[in-house]
Amino acid sequence: MPVERLDARMAEAAAATLGDAFFDDPLLQIVAPDEATRRRWGPWFMSLPLQYGLRWGQVWANDDASAVAVWVPPGSGDMGPVRMLRVGMARMPFRLGMSGSRRFLQSLSKTEPFHKSVDGPHWYLVAIGSRSECQGQGLGSQLVEVGTSRADAAGLPCYLETATESNIGFYSKRGFEIVGQTEFLGHTLTGMVRPPDQQSGR
């Protein structure tokens, strides 16, 4: 099943996919420990990186947006607080409460040194996820390859963060290496970098 750039009209479906995919992810557990809150606000929370990708990055998905990846290529500008406010982060305290917003910002500060360790331009895999019925179809690999193949062609690295142990093995098989790990509220936050495949980039 091919993947292509997401039509903005599918944004709501894509946000629902990411909210579902990240429901049990440690990041959402950190932000919203209560399951009912996570179920209610998860899609909205995941719509923030999605909207960022639609404006300043690239969002790729299958035809019904049941598998989605948000990539930010080099040259897209700084993924800073001003842009995040523009896509809706200002509403976070009203949706998730001050404590949830504070925990989210703390988790960002924990992984920021990992991201800063990447030297120069790179592709950033901000979020990737699929619904359970799409798993095992190779869509995850395709969505990762969207960025890694372009990075290889340009001779650039890729960067991502994960808080899920099983993801480390998945990304390691695709050339990513751990550049840092830290503990936060009982979870291990991991930064990973994939050096460019020089042969693929030729």
Side-chain angles (χ1 to χ4, degrees), residues 107-129:
S107 70
L108 288 183
S109 68
K110 289 281 188 178
T111 58
E112 186 177 8
F114 307 154
H115 200 166
K116 286 185 174 180
S117 72
V118 186
D119 187 23
H122 59 279
W123 282 72
Y124 178 22
L125 180 55
V126 181
I128 182 171

Side-chain angles (χ1 to χ4, degrees), residues 146-169:
V146 163
T148 59
S149 62
R150 286 162 175 75
D152 287 344
L156 297 175
C158 299
Y159 173 78
L160 61 83
E161 294 135 4
T162 184
T164 304
E165 174 106 18
S166 60
N167 285 349
I168 294 175

Side-chain angles (χ1 to χ4, degrees), residues 82-94:
V82 173
R83 284 187 170 183
M84 292 307 296
L85 287 172
R86 288 179 65 184
V87 297
M89 186 177 282
R91 295 192 294 274
M92 187 179 294
F94 303 99

